[in-house]
Amino acid sequence: MVENTQSIKRIPGYCALCRSRCGSIAVVENGRFVALEPDPSHPTGRALCAKGRAAPELVYHSDRLRYPLKRTRPKGDPDPGWQRISWDEALNLSAANLRRLADEYSPESVVFSMVSPSTSAIVDSANWIERLMRAFGSPNFCQSMELCGWGRYLATRYTYGAGVPGNYMPDLENAGCILFWGYNPNLARLDHAVTTVAALKRGARLIVVDPRRIGLAKKADLWLQVRPGSDGALALGIAHVMIERGWYDRDFIRNWTNGPLLVRSDNGRLLTGRDLSASDSAQRYVAWNEAKQRPMLFDPALGSYDGDNTELALFGEFMIDTLHGTVGCRPVFDLTAEVCGRNTPERVETICGVGRDQVESAARMLWEARPVAYYAWSGVEMQTNATQIARAIGQLYALTGNLDAPGGNVLFPSVPTKDVVGRELLSTEQAARTLGLPELPLGPARWQHVTSEELYRGILEQQPYAVRGLVGFGANLLLSHADSGRGREALAGLDFYVHADLFMNPTAELADIVLPVTSAFESEGLKIGFEVSQEAQSLVQLRQRVVEPQGEARSDIEIVFDLANHLGLGAHFWDGDVDAGYRYQLEPSGVSLDTLRQNPRGVRVPLQTRHRKFAEQRNGIAQGFDTPTRKIELYSETLLEHGYPPLPAYEEPLISPLSRPELTQRYPLILTCAKNTLFCETQQRALPSLRRHAPDPEVELHPAVAAERGISPGDWVSIETPEGSVRARARLDDTLKPNVVCGQHGWWQPCPEIGAPGYDAFGPDGANFNLIIGHEAIDPISGSVPHRAYLCQIRRVD
Ligand code: SF4
């Protein structure tokens, strides 16, 4: 497979730099990695972006960390006094300190952090990092879930019992209508962009919801220019039109959602069999049979009603005789329609800035161009109402009836493997000590994800207990999370911090030990399935090492296994043998590690997609969904029990002109942010070929807003919020709403080759966007922070 023409090698693999994992060919000339090209034979290999093409610059960059380093001066000293040490010393020191913290305090006093797998190659080792954390005894995994992933993987579990659309991926190849919400696949998942363009050519319709007209929004049939953070009202408004017009799949709603179940008007609880009879179960739910004018019981354990469910009422109010008197009850769907009905197209126009005719058109398109496949991303996740937005979009999607149907959002099959995240290594008692669980019991902590604020509070305020140690795998927390000043204070207060990364950065600078990490091109990586389709899922590939590691850099996975050995946890890590770990993981797949090494293009394991798996019967019982009612929960008693709205509700962003009118005189503009297509989050600004095209941080604003302030294109401006100010160059964009401006995060790194400066991460002359975003206004369920909807003022600086 590997072509070897004299001194030129072409090595098949995939670019691991972001979530797209594009199939690629690495070109190595005379032992030097010189180019990365697309591999059209790979299921995700039709295109590469500029970041992928710049991979050789990343590999050979002179600022790469090449040796383990030890701090020799106190934190706070402008010179950390980094001293090169051996791997043995680095691992011994790290293990000794971590073990000391676990023994003197507790294992949970050590938090493990990780850069987002969506924007880095950490996916190679993410599962193994989780395993190390649990083997160590800590339940605390700080992985930015509250900012990137909450909406698509976890929030919708309260609706679907599963990650929709995170795990139920859009079947773009067969979709009739594609809905992208706060998601620009051009930079988030390139393969989705390529497939969408092909879908448009065959006639699929496209709806893009985004405050900016970027990427595929320019090709969309409908571009809904929503005010940042008001997305929930838009989703409810579109749902309202669909329900009002009858543009919804009645059978799906009746059979597979809890829409027919009756809600008591006196206490908001679902009516149960126990309410009707002392001998019946509180786990059986009641619906109303319209034809027979009597209650019917639904038993989740049997997955069925005690009668004909085609006659179940979705609307109306019914007086039900209970053990304690007559109670008025309404079907969940009737309440759903009522809540949606408060968001008329006219109201949506007022709240969201999306024209009423566009709301109507979107509803019509979603219905008439079915099947609908959708995806949503961090644009709707970095919001103080992130959970309600995810619930509202999830509810809207349920109306189409397209879940797990061809052309809808489908749970594609996976090659069978062994789970290696080590859930069995952490006791239930220890899992219950996850930071954040007392304050946000339904938030990321429920799945052992810790928000950055929970980490900082644990260090600074020792609440709910003291955090003393941090093991960091690439997370540049101070540039990617809100309130960087508080973050710096927190990290400086750690008793011990070991950080593994490619480059020194403002976060790593606060570590005690820094470990050099290989890029994805200097190390193997095992990828089991490429997610986007059945074909992609069937591919198992062991990415080859393209060139030798720089200096003494080791891959994250090697570091995990080595550190485990030094911590005395080798028994859970095959005594440090990564290959043995891979073999264990691959066992059920029938694919051997040797076969993968001999076949660098990977091995295809035949898979067959089954649709509508929720309807499959096992022992005569329909599978349904992994929710308390085994239905899609338009109405969530879990949320109700914790004091949250049981139906998706519109909540105004906590920092907005409507919710904080007192701020708007000083901060009249809505501040959102977006990633630059040339950089993954806080990375790659040191690469000349990329930085040349984006030499400075920018803020996009409407020409009228610029003119009012005497700002010309390219002027340096200050972006000011109640938390402080940073600088950026003005870029004018007349497609923006005049009251919306869009900044960028991640600016700190210099690129001396082209004379582009670095930026102070903590001062007003710098460009760290997250320095001006506060951590106090958060989503009450997930702790998500409003990076995408804040208030600001823009001024020209001289
Ligand atoms: S989109 Fe770009 S950075 Fe991401 S995997 Fe593909 S080539 Fe690499």
Side-chain angles (χ1 to χ4, degrees), residues 64 87 121-122 124-125 129 473 500-502 515-525 543 545 549-550 552-563 578 582:
R64 281 276 306 279
W87 270 101
I122 203 72
D124 287 353
S125 26
I129 293 169
F473 286 91
D501 219 317
L502 287 152
L515 305 175
V517 173
T518 54
S519 73
F521 306 93
E522 300 151 62
S523 55
E524 284 186 335
R543 194 190 61 240
R545 174 182 279 183
Q550 292 291 294
E552 293 179 3
R554 294 184 184 177
S555 68
D556 288 299
I557 194 168
E558 288 172 310
I559 294 171
V560 167
F561 276 61
D562 290 345
L563 189 54
V578 175
Y582 283 155

Side-chain angles (χ1 to χ4, degrees), residues 15 17-18 20-22 48-49 51-52 190:
C15 174
L17 295 178
C18 87
S20 202
R21 321 280 177 229
C22 300
L48 293 182
C49 78
K51 299 178 287 269
L190 189 58

Side-chain angles (χ1 to χ4, degrees), residues 730-742:
R731 172 187 283 270
L732 306 195
D733 180 350
D734 63 6
T735 67
L736 279 173
K737 286 268 165 72
N739 63 344
V740 174
V741 300
C742 181

